[in-house]
Amino acid sequence: MRALDVKLFRDLVRLWAQALAIALVIAGGVSTVVLAVGSLRSLEETRIAYYERHQFADVFALVRRAPKTLLTQIAEIPGVAAVQGRIAKLALLDIPQFREPATGQFISLTEDGQPALNRLYMRAGRMPEPGRGDEVVVTEGFAKAHAFKPGSHFAAILNGRKRDLVVVGIALSPEYIYAIGPGDRMPDERRFAIVWMSEKALASVYDLNGAFSSVTLKLMRDASEGEVITRLDALLDRYGGQAAYGRKDQTSHAFLEHGLDMLRNMSRTLPPIFLLVAAFLINVTLSRIVALEREQIGLLKALGYRNAAVAWHYIKLIIVIVMIGVVIGSAAGTWLGTFVTEMYGDFYRFPFLVFVQSPDVYVAAAVLSFGAAIIGAVRVLRDIVRLPPAVAMQAPAPPRFRRLLPATFAIRNVLSQPAVMMVRNISGHPIRAMFTIAGMSLATGILIASLFLNGTMEALIDVTYFMSDRQDATVSFVERRPLKAVNQIARLPGILAAEPFREVPVRIRNGNIERRIMISGRPRDADLNRIIDTDLHPVLPETGLAISSWLAQILGTQVGDFVEIDLLEGQRRTVSLPVTALVEDYFGIQGMMHFDALARLMREAPAVNSVSVSLDANERDRLYDAIKSMPMVSGMALQRVSLANFRDALAVLVTTMANIYTGLAAVIAFGVVYNSARISLSERARELASLRVLGFTRGEVLRILLLELAVLTLLAQPPGWAVGYGLAWTLQTKMAGELMRTRLVVEHSTYVLASAMVIAAALFSALVVRRRINQLDLVTVLKTRD
């Protein structure tokens, strides 16, 4: 073994703690890249494979009643590859041992089993047999929630008639990866199910023999979706068709895409920040370690080693440390990526997962880490190898201290001697102090960027569930009902208050930018379902349209501007409405109007789609029984259940990701602070030993060093808070989307917690330094200078 390789091995043994701390910083950065990019690619590949294998449709449309002969004309539309007509109806379910009303989305199956489009993935059992109108297939989540197996029974109220059904199969569908019941914001697998049953049986119940109420289309690869939708709308219009829509507006796909978008934006924002921060810290830390080897470099050169050999020796040291970090980071990132992929797979009910481990991700993370480390060290090596051996073997010239304050402000009259020495040392090495503060600030900043999501989600819950939607439940109707339906609901047992709620599907347009949204109408004195403006005050304009602030941003409109509205229900007119208020809402994009103004716009008598109610908790069971006996009701969304589902589902996804990133950020923060303390000790070992010889006690020497570490740590916190707020703003902006967004809320507790974690790392480092100072061999340290 060559002498320099022996030295390399001994250096690694001597510096093992610092090398491990640097490797952990590198591992933190590499892990974030592998975790985020790996899990995102796996989920995207899984979605593509699922959609292709099970023929997920491209275009969807609902119609009141259309003859099956129309399917031939639809199939002849240029660009259409396949057409599937079916019956789709909402109905209440009556489930044994389950008090709350549940809702089923019933979809017909042809007698030959699997549909041509949106084919089912059978988890258990079989498809309904021809002629068996009581046999059904249900979604896996619903079956698990009620412990249903093939052979289980439940009842459904189909078109006013209660029917007993038997479960013969349990399945998944690409059309309902994310299934939301009427009035709900989150999937509730106990209270909402997709139920597939015989077309013949459903047609008989709803008087739809030879007809369909829903159609789905598969398009050719080069087809124009917009052109196909226009032609389809023209064919369905006379049969009560609602405006057709593409895959991007299909509820399940839109929510899945939004979830992947959030993961995608997180993977594009946090990992680069982590990696850049880690690279900067590696650069600073390694350059200081190499600078400490100045005398050894001079000795090597005096013994005849060439500059290239000396430089290569230190580069090998850096390569070994970085390689350890890359290996640890790759392993941790792969494990965390698999965990996150499985977590998302369970949440979205994928039947299988395609794990993608692209070598380019690992290579990119490793190259960035190696590049940052070597660039920083090479800069220092360049300066050192240029020194003559005799000069390099000498200690660096002591810093020149200058008086910064007037003599009348002499700090030695105020501070103790150790404190004065600490201040003089910091002021004598301003660049080193600045880089140390910068490193600790970045460590605090990435902790804030990881922690702020928890507070932001709580702010979203507070505004959505306690300031805006304050109802206990929302009762939805199968079809639009006259206003007197509100009184029918208000007379049910346990109802304390009831408010009408009307929704109309529209296309809203400003110039060439348009979106498909719902306009909801609410009464002037609405108290259960309030509209909150951007200042979080209740608002409901008497005239005009209130729209989401996010929608206003998309359309490029402000209060006072006019927007075009295509009414997709009733007389299907195009009207122009002024924007009279901007609304703060965090789910979806929508418009709001006064209830009476919406009725006038639709040129109809006041009508409702649903009713918001407050409940007497003691009368819930009687109310549930009454709701189950009302054929006009399609579902009942419960606010407390929705909130619980939100916390258990989506919030868990976001907070789990935030916790993972917080853990990685904590590792990086610890690595930064620990290395700063250890390197400071190494740099000042001789000075501290000299102080001991001059009569300073161990406590006084320790106080000088730790006081400096404490001051630098505290000075790093304010800029760290600013860096953290900036990173949180960047992350919040990148993660916002049309289906869900959050308000930027960085709570005081977040700053405190981030700083506490950095200070805890400093305290731990202080304990290590204390132990090293107690073990300081004065003779050995002082001899090295001679």
Side-chain angles (χ1 to χ4, degrees):
M1 183 180 286
R2 296 172 54 192
L4 285 182
D5 291 335
V6 174
K7 179 181 181 303
L8 173 64
F9 177 76
R10 290 177 176 173
D11 285 347
L12 286 171
V13 173
R14 177 172 56 87
L15 297 171
W16 73 268
Q18 287 171 259
L20 181 60
I22 296 171
L24 288 178
V25 173
I26 298 168
V30 172
S31 295
T32 55
V33 175
V34 175
L35 152 70
V37 179
S39 58
L40 176 64
R41 287 186 178 178
S42 296
L43 289 169
E44 286 181 331
E45 288 298 320
T46 299
R47 182 188 61 176
I48 291 171
Y50 191 20
Y51 281 2
E52 287 182 354
R53 295 177 193 176
H54 292 264
Q55 292 294 299
F56 183 46
D58 296 307
V59 175
F60 306 80
L62 293 175
V63 65
R64 181 174 294 278
R65 176 190 174 91
K68 280 191 172 181
T69 52
L70 193 66
L71 295 175
T72 305
Q73 297 180 51
I74 295 174
E76 292 172 352
I77 295 175
V80 174
V83 179
Q84 179 76 52
R86 60 189 183 177
I87 298 169
K89 294 288 183 182
L90 285 170
L92 276 176
L93 306 180
D94 190 3
I95 302 167
Q97 311 301 320
F98 188 68
R99 295 296 301 164
E100 299 169 0
T103 303
Q105 173 67 65
F106 283 76
I107 298 176
S108 65
L109 289 171
T110 55
E111 297 300 318
D112 54 354
Q114 284 279 8
L117 301 179
N118 307 316
R119 298 173 68 84
L120 306 187
Y121 182 95
M122 297 301 296
R123 282 288 203 194
R126 57 174 173 79
M127 301 291 280
E129 291 183 353
R132 297 298 302 270
D134 61 337
E135 293 185 348
V136 296
V137 175
V138 298
T139 39
E140 183 185 49
F142 177 71
K144 284 186 174 179
H146 296 283
F148 281 168
K149 298 178 181 176
S152 299
H153 289 256
F154 67 96
I157 303 169
L158 297 171
N159 204 18
R161 289 184 297 175
K162 189 171 183 177
R163 294 189 57 154
D164 288 325
L165 304 173
V166 57
V167 177
V168 297
I170 297 171
L172 296 171
S173 167
E175 191 180 2
Y176 294 99
I177 292 174
Y178 192 92
I180 303 180
D184 274 330
R185 282 201 173 88
M186 296 295 299
D188 185 347
E189 293 176 331
R190 296 183 314 143
R191 302 179 53 255
F192 183 65
I194 312 300
V195 184
W196 291 272
M197 66 183 296
S198 158
E199 179 179 297
K200 187 175 180 181
L202 268 184
S204 174
V205 170
Y206 288 100
D207 192 22
L208 286 170
N209 287 306
F212 63 90
S213 65
S214 169
V215 61
T216 59
L217 280 62
K218 190 73 178 173
L219 303 184
M220 296 178 182
R221 189 174 297 275
D222 56 348
S224 168
E225 182 184 282
E227 181 68 22
V228 171
I229 287 176
T230 301
R231 290 171 177 259
L232 179 62
D233 283 342
L235 289 174
L236 297 179
D237 187 47
R238 60 181 296 196
Y239 301 103
Q242 299 178 13
Y245 52 92
R247 187 183 282 184
K248 71 179 179 61
D249 291 321
Q250 200 265 346
T251 303
S252 171
H253 175 82
F255 273 95
L256 173 60
E257 185 62 24
H258 179 73
L260 294 182
D261 265 346
M262 290 181 68
L263 195 61
R264 189 177 297 116
N265 288 326
M266 198 177 282
S267 71
R268 289 174 179 171
T269 307
L270 270 181
I273 291 172
F274 273 59
L275 206 55
L276 285 174
V277 171
F280 173 78
L281 299 174
I282 295 163
N283 191 313
V284 172
T285 307
L286 284 178
S287 62
R288 289 179 69 180
I289 288 180
V290 173
L292 282 172
E293 304 280 313
R294 171 192 171 100
E295 293 178 26
Q296 294 186 30
I297 292 173
L299 182 60
L300 290 172
K301 293 169 71 174
L303 292 174
Y305 285 94
R306 295 180 178 276
N307 287 338
V310 174
W312 177 238
H313 164 71
Y314 284 99
I315 289 176
K316 282 196 291 185
L317 172 67
I318 294 164
I319 289 175
V320 171
I321 295 174
V322 175
M323 192 174 294
I324 294 171
V326 170
V327 170
I328 295 174
S330 299
T334 302
W335 181 79
L336 288 171
T338 304
F339 169 76
V340 169
T341 302
E342 291 177 346
M343 181 178 69
Y344 272 82
D346 288 342
F347 179 74
Y348 286 111
R349 294 287 178 194
F350 285 118
F352 53 83
L353 290 173
V354 179
F355 290 100
V356 177
Q357 294 182 350
S358 306
D360 59 316
V361 178
Y362 300 89
V363 171
V367 167
L368 286 172
S369 301
F370 278 114
I374 291 176
I375 287 172
V378 164
R379 180 177 58 82
V380 179
L381 283 172
R382 182 197 59 193
D383 297 337
I384 292 178
V385 296
R386 285 179 178 175
L387 290 175
V391 177
M393 291 174 65
Q394 295 179 357
R400 297 180 61 187
F401 294 101
R402 291 179 299 176
R403 180 180 293 279
L404 299 176
L405 299 173
T408 54
F409 294 97
I411 59 174
R412 66 182 59 196
N413 298 330
V414 181
L415 303 178
S416 63
Q417 183 64 28
V420 171
M421 295 176 69
M422 177 271 297
V423 172
R424 285 171 58 83
N425 189 61
I426 292 177
S427 61
H429 303 87
I431 302 298
R432 190 177 70 189
M434 185 186 69
F435 275 100
T436 304
I437 290 174
M440 293 184 183
S441 299
L442 289 172
T444 304
I446 60 175
L447 280 168
I448 292 172
S450 305
L451 289 166
F452 92 100
L453 285 173
N454 290 324
T456 295
M457 296 306 292
E458 288 303 316
L460 178 149
I461 289 172
D462 184 52
V463 173
T464 302
Y465 287 95
F466 297 102
M467 295 180 66
S468 177
D469 295 345
R470 309 194 304 172
Q471 71 275 22
D472 293 319
T474 301
V475 180
S476 301
F477 300 130
V478 175
E479 294 181 334
R480 174 166 56 94
R481 308 290 298 181
L483 188 58
K484 64 181 182 181
V486 180
N487 296 328
Q488 290 179 262
I489 297 297
R491 288 195 292 269
L492 294 177
I495 300 293
L496 301 177
E499 290 178 358
F501 193 84
R502 171 78 166 111
E503 283 190 320
V504 175
V506 304
R507 268 195 294 261
I508 185 169
R509 181 168 48 251
N510 182 35
N512 57 359
I513 303 174
E514 69 174 29
R515 288 291 187 276
R516 180 189 172 105
I517 66 169
M518 303 292 285
I519 291 181
S520 62
R522 309 183 193 194
R524 178 185 298 113
D525 54 350
D527 185 56
L528 299 179
N529 203 317
R530 303 192 303 178
I531 300 173
I532 304 297
D533 66 11
T534 50
D535 295 322
L536 303 184
H537 297 141
V539 62
L540 181 58
E542 293 285 336
T543 59
L545 181 67
I547 63 174
S548 308
S549 56
W550 187 263
L551 177 59
Q553 184 178 332
I554 294 172
L555 297 176
T557 60
Q558 299 177 348
V559 173
D561 294 344
F562 278 77
V563 291
E564 279 193 351
I565 301 290
D566 294 337
L567 301 174
L568 302 179
E569 187 179 304
Q571 298 182 4
R572 297 197 171 200
R573 296 175 296 118
T574 297
V575 298
S576 181
L577 291 176
V579 177
T580 50
L582 298 184
V583 174
E584 189 69 87
D585 57 355
Y586 301 127
F587 291 94
I589 50 176
Q590 55 184 324
M592 295 90 165
M593 292 184 69
H594 190 280
F595 186 78
D596 296 333
L598 181 58
R600 289 194 296 273
L601 180 69
M602 296 299 295
R603 294 178 179 172
E604 65 182 19
V608 296
N609 300 105
S610 57
V611 180
S612 302
V613 298
S614 64
L615 308 177
D616 179 354
N618 297 322
E619 296 286 341
R620 286 184 187 274
D621 288 346
R622 291 182 60 204
L623 174 64
Y624 294 158
D625 291 338
I627 290 290
K628 289 178 181 177
S629 65
M630 301 180 73
M632 68 178 186
V633 175
S634 64
M636 184 177 187
L638 299 173
Q639 197 72 346
R640 61 179 176 80
V641 176
S642 174
L643 177 56
N645 287 334
F646 181 82
R647 287 189 185 280
D648 291 344
L650 187 58
V652 168
L653 289 183
V654 176
T655 54
T656 299
M657 293 298 296
N659 290 337
I660 290 174
Y661 284 118
T662 301
L664 295 173
V667 170
I668 292 176
F670 168 75
V672 173
V673 178
Y674 177 75
N675 267 301
S676 297
R678 286 298 308 272
I679 293 173
S680 293
L681 175 62
S682 301
E683 289 173 339
R684 303 183 62 189
R686 296 179 182 126
E687 178 187 339
L688 298 177
S690 299
L691 292 174
R692 288 289 315 282
V693 172
L694 291 174
F696 280 71
T697 65
R698 285 178 178 170
E700 289 171 328
V701 170
L702 182 66
R703 200 188 318 162
I704 293 171
L705 189 64
L706 296 190
L707 204 56
E708 180 178 334
L709 176 64
V711 168
L712 293 179
T713 303
L714 293 177
L715 287 176
Q717 299 314 301
W721 299 336
V723 170
Y725 188 86
L727 295 179
W729 177 85
T730 303
L731 193 60
Q732 182 261 349
T733 304
K734 293 288 185 182
M735 290 178 61
E738 293 186 11
L739 284 183
M740 182 180 166
R741 52 207 166 267
T742 56
R743 192 185 186 94
L744 179 58
V745 177
V746 185
E747 297 178 338
H748 294 164
S749 59
T750 301
Y751 295 112
V752 172
L753 183 57
S755 294
M757 294 173 76
V758 173
I759 292 171
L763 290 174
F764 177 81
S765 304
L767 293 175
V768 176
V769 169
R770 178 185 178 184
R771 180 170 170 269
R772 300 283 297 184
I773 287 183
N774 289 338
Q775 296 174 345
L776 207 60
D777 186 338
L778 301 183
V779 176
T780 303
V781 172
L782 292 173
K783 272 186 175 178
T784 56
R785 183 183 288 273
D786 298 330

